[in-house]
Amino acid sequence: MLSTVTLTLLKGFLGTLRLFSETLLFALPLGLIISFGSMHKLKILRLPVRFLIWIIRGTPLMLQLLVIYYGPGIILGNNVWGSGETGRFIAALCAFVLNYACYFSEIFRGGIQSIPVGQYEAGQVLGMTKGQIFFKVILLQVIKRIVPPISNEVITLVKDTSLARVIAVYEIIWEGQSFIKSAGIIWPLFYTGIFYLLFSGLLTLFFGFIEKKLSYFR
Amino acid sequence: MRILEVLNIKKDFGYIEVLKDISFSMDSGQVVSIIGSSGSGKTTLLRCLNFLEIPDKGVIKVRGETLFDSDKPDTRSEEAIRQKRLHFGLVFQSFNLFPQYTALENVMLAPSLREKKSFNDEGLRKRSSDLLSLMGLGERMGNYPHQLSGGQQQRVAIARALAMNPDILCFDEPTSALDPELTGEVLKVIRELARQKTTMIIVTHEMAFARDVSDVVIFMDKGVIVEQGDPKDIIDNPKEERTRKFLSALSRN
Ligand SMILES: Nc1ncnc2c1ncn2[C@@H]1O[C@H](COP(=O)(O)OP(=O)(O)OP(=O)(O)O)[C@@H](O)[C@H]1O
Ligand SMILES: [Mg+2]
């Protein structure tokens, strides 16, 4: 029994892992782009971006999942996501990417804006280009400052992936719960908790390592 | 040789006129000190020379070449300005070293980017470490800024500015952020640079230093140059009432 449960949960965890890693893959760069938009000097760019961030951060991810999955079907009259498992996964991924990109963008904005203007000016008077100043001077300082808040978000994401089940995306809790009906046992559900704990433990170690790597300067 | 001519520089921030009509010039190898009370526009003037601010009006010429002319818009493009900045260096009151680089790397960064050389380039390393040695930091090249005292950081910043070989090196109150016991070591290296005929403009509140290091002292007040000339004349026998007031207020503190 233990091995059947383990295998099933492992399969579910693979779904969790896939949603988790693909969300990060797209949300981190998108978040950087959104943060540039939210800091742009042109109002016509900045205000809509800030509005989007407000909407996304101000409503539950659960609601966003439902709206993104069912919305197009109801409004446009055809389900853009298709009917299969893949379609549901992509819909969930879109919701997660959008949601997390907005949170990341605020972390990036905070990080970028916390760098003293003297750092830019020192680069400028040395004749460096804007790109050189950003990549050679600013970026690493920003990364150092945002590692702790990013690590927080990433660990939250591990657990948030379980929300995807509301649109029937198979992940680990979905699989764990299935044993309640099929075999009348609840312990597989607790077992899923161990997966989460181990994974977030690994991530904590990983981010701790990065923080340590960047501790050589202040 | 005339190295710098500044003609009728004006700069506003909104409705405050910070620089009203600044003109002065200096020769190669000279040291010009700028003194004046807080808010008189000294920092703004240095920032205009380094194009961190763009003057609203006026002309800036280096070695006879017009770097900036408010009447000629073609002198104002971003890339053009970046090239022109290289005529000037600026040492900030707050050092502004790059924290993720060692002292040596701080000095090497800008030249390495400009000359497309790596940090391992022999010539670049030699040049940069020589500059740090000149600053008395031969032992500190591998240290990061947070491992250095304020006086050491400021000396790294001076070496970093010198590494780009500017025609004119500007200092904005280089010792104001330092504890009194650390100002001496920074003033000493500036004195040494003056002895080597480095062309410098120094904004400072250190009157004794200004008097014996500079060839010309400029006294600024409320955005205008009130008086300029030989340091001994200006500091010991000022002609203008405003200069006298400023100097006596300074010596009272
Ligand atoms: N970016 C800015 N925006 C608006 N006002 C500014 C700006 N920079 C400077 N000022 C104003 O310009 C005036 C001159 O400032 P500046 O920093 O040039 O004076 P300063 O002579 O260097 O003074 P201090 O001795 O205190 O350094 C001040 O009134 C200051 O408030
Ligand atoms: Mg100032």
Side-chain angles (χ1 to χ4, degrees), chain A residues 139-175:
Chain A
L139 188 60
L140 193 62
Q141 296 183 51
V142 172
I143 291 175
K144 182 184 168 75
R145 287 177 201 212
I146 65 176
V147 167
I150 290 279
S151 104
N152 238 332
E153 283 305 316
V154 168
I155 286 171
T156 306
L157 173 62
V158 177
K159 295 163 289 171
D160 271 0
T161 50
S162 61
L163 292 174
R165 54 170 308 181
V166 296
I167 57 172
V169 170
Y170 303 118
E171 43 72 58
I172 185 167
I173 292 191
W174 176 284
E175 302 290 356

Side-chain angles (χ1 to χ4, degrees), chain A residues 64-199:
Chain A
Q64 292 159 21
L65 270 165
L66 293 171
V67 168
I68 284 182
Y69 182 59
Y70 294 109
I74 292 165
I75 296 163
L76 305 174
N78 75 324
N79 188 354
V80 294
W81 307 112
S83 55
E85 211 177 301
T86 321
R88 293 199 302 275
F89 179 82
I90 292 174
L93 184 61
C94 286
F96 273 86
V97 166
L98 187 62
N99 183 278
Y100 271 82
C102 284
Y103 278 96
F104 288 149
S105 82
E106 285 295 279
I107 294 176
F108 293 148
R109 183 167 72 86
I112 291 172
Q113 289 180 338
S114 74
I115 304 299
V117 33
Q119 291 289 308
Y120 294 89
E121 291 183 346
Q124 282 174 301
V125 297
L126 289 165
M128 292 164 67
T129 64
K130 276 189 167 167
Q132 289 170 340
I133 294 172
F134 185 77
F135 287 107
K136 298 283 181 179
V137 175
I138 305 300
L139 188 60
L140 193 62
Q141 296 183 51
V142 172
I143 291 175
K144 182 184 168 75
R145 287 177 201 212
I146 65 176
V147 167
I150 290 279
S151 104
N152 238 332
E153 283 305 316
V154 168
I155 286 171
T156 306
L157 173 62
V158 177
K159 295 163 289 171
D160 271 0
T161 50
S162 61
L163 292 174
R165 54 170 308 181
V166 296
I167 57 172
V169 170
Y170 303 118
E171 43 72 58
I172 185 167
I173 292 191
W174 176 284
E175 302 290 356
Q177 199 182 10
S178 68
F179 287 100
I180 295 179
K181 253 193 244 151
S182 64
I185 48 174
I186 188 131
W187 61 265
L189 220 41
F190 292 104
Y191 196 0
T192 64
I194 295 183
F195 278 83
Y196 284 110
L197 283 173
L198 281 179
F199 190 49

Side-chain angles (χ1 to χ4, degrees), chain B residues 37-44 46-47 93 172-173 203 205:
Chain B
S37 51
S38 186
S40 54
K42 305 177 301 292
T43 296
T44 307
L46 289 192
R47 291 173 61 85
Q93 190 174 342
D172 189 9
E173 302 192 29
V203 171
H205 290 301

Side-chain angles (χ1 to χ4, degrees), chain B residues 174-205:
Chain B
T175 59
S176 292
L178 298 177
D179 293 336
E181 66 268 26
L182 298 178
T183 59
E185 61 186 57
V186 172
L187 296 183
K188 196 176 132 212
V189 303
I190 300 176
R191 277 204 172 87
E192 174 59 23
L193 293 176
R195 208 184 53 78
Q196 298 180 5
K197 294 288 166 216
T198 311
T199 312
M200 296 185 280
I201 302 176
I202 307 170
V203 171
T204 184
H205 290 301

